[in-house]
Amino acid sequence: MIFFNKDEQLENLGLGILDATWAAFGTLARNQIALTWVVYDPPVRVNTGGALTPKAFWDHPVRGFTYRGVERIYPASVVKLFYLVAVNEWLEKGMSQTSKELERALRDMIVDSSNDATSLVVDILSGTTSGPELPIGPFETWKYQRNIVNRYYQSLSWEELETINVCQKTWGDGPYGRERAFVGELLENRNMLTTNAIARLVHSIVGGVAVSSARSQAMMALLKRPLNDLSTNTEENQVTGFLGGGLPENAQIWSKAGWTSQVRHDAAYIELPEQRPYLLVVFTEGKAQAKNQDILPFISKLVADAIASL
């Protein structure tokens, strides 16, 4: 069972938003966008500091809309959300110990989307390191260790996670050595996520049930984005050109963006004054979309307008 209930009102609003987006952006094909939108009707059970037990939280119904939400898409830096939750699980279970360097890497991985920081986090999660190619035997062991994060997510038995792949580092110029061999000749083993899978993970964080309520709140603190301080480089602030770019200044957003020359993505939990909070994950693919800084803010504004109409 998918974690939210399909809803006719949101379906009509969501399809209307997609139609408006296709009309406004002629280069965006119907198979170059995927979207998952979850609305939190009162009584709101999220961002409460983990007031509910996990069972009570998961039993509390929410409604949503999805378009191509089960399609496997290269997630770029959005995968860092999955590494963030996994590290917190490892720390909670005593499988890893915290350190100043790990704390610094987690912050830089989420706040600044640093790939170098992510590299350390993946090494800590898996007990592996990058380097030259390995002989067959050691490489098999290395690959098994690197898939530990996949095994963790499969152990949760969430339907939305059945098809995902989260085992690769994120790169600026691409992988070399054993990392290049691991991603596969045709990149067949690269990270793959769906907007529904990401939505469920973010839902668990904002619900305070990802690992523990205290750890969920610590993760939320890293994901918080200031909308008014856009002094940093526009690509790096993860607001300009992304979902935060379509929000009024008095909105609050917790998010993780991802972009390459081929994709532009964002996953966000958003609170508008006096409105229902909501979760929105939007993926766009294709070179033209990756460059376009207007599509995600356009969709975000329409969703915010739709929320005001509920």
Side-chain angles (χ1 to χ4, degrees):
M1 275 289 292
I2 195 163
F3 75 96
F4 57 85
N5 300 322
K6 299 274 180 74
D7 174 85
E8 193 180 353
Q9 182 188 30
L10 294 185
E11 185 93 7
N12 291 333
L13 288 166
L15 292 172
I17 288 165
L18 285 167
D19 285 337
T21 306
W22 287 315
F25 301 96
T27 59
L28 180 66
R30 287 174 185 255
N31 66 347
Q32 288 181 315
I33 183 166
L35 180 152
T36 302
W37 176 30
V38 175
V39 175
Y40 298 107
D41 297 304
V44 173
R45 304 287 199 216
V46 290
N47 206 8
T48 58
L52 292 186
T53 64
K55 181 171 179 356
F57 176 73
W58 290 116
D59 286 348
H60 181 70
V62 290
R63 58 188 178 130
F65 164 75
T66 183
Y67 173 76
R68 297 182 72 242
V70 297
E71 296 295 328
R72 298 173 84 240
I73 296 169
Y74 177 69
S77 289
V78 179
V79 75
K80 294 166 185 175
L81 285 169
F82 285 76
Y83 298 150
L84 174 68
V85 172
V87 162
N88 277 281
E89 175 73 17
W90 273 222
L91 293 169
E92 187 74 10
K93 295 275 195 303
M95 291 161 62
S96 287
Q97 304 307 313
T98 193
S99 67
K100 276 202 168 129
E101 275 303 274
L102 177 55
E103 294 299 324
R104 183 170 78 97
L106 284 176
R107 187 205 159 277
D108 291 352
M109 174 175 81
I110 299 301
V111 177
D112 304 325
S113 207
S114 163
N115 292 333
D116 291 352
T118 308
S119 180
L120 177 71
V121 170
V122 172
D123 287 346
I124 287 171
L125 282 168
S126 61
T128 62
T129 53
S130 304
E133 289 167 273
L134 290 165
I136 290 170
F139 189 42
E140 286 304 311
T141 304
W142 186 95
K143 288 193 289 190
Y144 180 79
Q145 285 178 255
R146 269 296 277 276
N147 274 302
I148 191 170
V149 179
N150 275 325
R151 290 194 293 277
Y152 163 61
Y153 282 110
Q154 293 311 319
S155 77
L156 299 180
S157 300
W158 295 355
E159 179 188 309
E160 296 86 354
L161 303 184
E162 282 170 8
T163 64
I164 72 169
N165 189 37
V166 287
C167 61
Q168 301 290 347
K169 294 184 174 185
T170 52
W171 301 100
D173 297 328
Y176 291 85
R178 66 188 69 160
E179 298 284 356
R180 182 64 188 84
F182 184 50
V183 81
E185 195 64 36
L186 304 172
L187 309 181
E188 63 271 19
N189 191 35
R190 64 185 187 159
N191 290 331
M192 294 299 257
L193 286 169
T194 69
T195 58
N196 284 356
I198 295 154
R200 181 153 187 181
L201 189 75
V202 175
H203 178 65
S204 75
I205 297 170
V206 297
V209 299
V211 185
S212 71
S213 66
R215 290 195 178 277
S216 290
Q217 284 175 272
M219 291 187 253
M220 287 285 280
L222 290 176
L223 293 165
K224 187 89 167 66
R225 305 269 166 211
L227 287 177
N228 47 10
D229 172 27
L230 300 182
S231 51
T232 48
N233 170 333
T234 55
E235 282 288 281
E236 301 304 325
N237 66 39
Q238 299 182 68
V239 171
T240 309
F242 297 99
L243 296 175
L247 297 175
E249 251 190 34
N250 59 358
Q252 293 194 82
I253 181 170
W254 293 257
S255 70
K256 183 70 202 76
W259 64 95
T260 66
S261 62
Q262 302 287 336
V263 299
R264 179 174 285 267
H265 304 325
D266 204 1
Y269 166 73
I270 294 164
E271 292 182 354
L272 301 169
E274 313 300 319
Q275 305 290 351
R276 291 167 165 79
Y278 59 98
L279 190 162
L280 182 62
V281 183
V282 184
F283 273 23
T284 62
E285 296 184 276
K287 278 191 168 158
Q289 283 60 252
K291 280 199 198 85
N292 194 320
Q293 292 207 353
D294 298 326
I295 299 176
L296 294 185
F298 179 88
I299 293 169
S300 186
K301 183 181 185 313
L302 291 184
V303 171
D305 292 345
I307 285 287
S309 75
L310 294 179

